[in-house]
Amino acid sequence: MALHDAKLASNTDGHASSTHNSDDVHGDVKSYVIGFILSVVLTAIPFTLVMNGDLSKVTTIWSLVTLGLVQIWVHLKYFLHLNFVTEEGRANTFSFLFSALIIFMVVGLSVWIIYESNAMMMY
């Protein structure tokens, strides 16, 4: 706390000094525009694949899953700004992945318990 107060007192405009650039953490307009364009393209391609129906069912499903995973990556990189370049980026990424794992386990195990309970009651 004393270190924070010393930094605050030494700064002339009354704001605590920061060691990181806010543009590095929050991104810029270019990053958001690139993310938006990629998201629109990665939404339009699966929509077109499904509406045309030219590919087999298995190929369409695998294409949708692949493009969905790419779109998840685009959202994480361009909108949530998760990366492994900085120490803070690694910590944020691991926090996000841990939270996703916990949510996946809670939802997945809940569905499994409900399904098994239903199966036991039917026999």
Side-chain angles (χ1 to χ4, degrees), residues 24 83-91:
D24 294 338
N83 60 25
F84 280 103
V85 177
T86 63
E87 187 66 33
E88 184 180 357
R90 279 192 289 272

Side-chain angles (χ1 to χ4, degrees), residues 30-77:
K30 180 182 175 185
S31 154
Y32 288 114
V33 169
I34 291 170
F36 177 73
I37 291 170
L38 287 173
S39 295
V40 169
V41 169
L42 290 169
T43 301
I45 292 172
F47 182 79
T48 305
L49 288 175
V50 170
M51 292 306 290
N52 288 342
D54 295 336
L55 301 175
S56 69
K57 185 176 182 179
V58 173
T59 306
T60 302
I61 290 173
W62 279 108
S63 299
L64 292 176
V65 169
T66 303
L67 290 168
L69 291 174
V70 171
Q71 190 166 77
I72 288 171
W73 176 80
V74 166
H75 283 257
L76 293 177
K77 178 171 176 42

Side-chain angles (χ1 to χ4, degrees), residues 3-20:
L3 180 61
H4 180 270
D5 293 337
K7 282 185 180 181
L8 184 60
S10 67
N11 197 349
T12 58
D13 63 355
H15 293 98
S17 62
S18 178
T19 58
H20 68 277

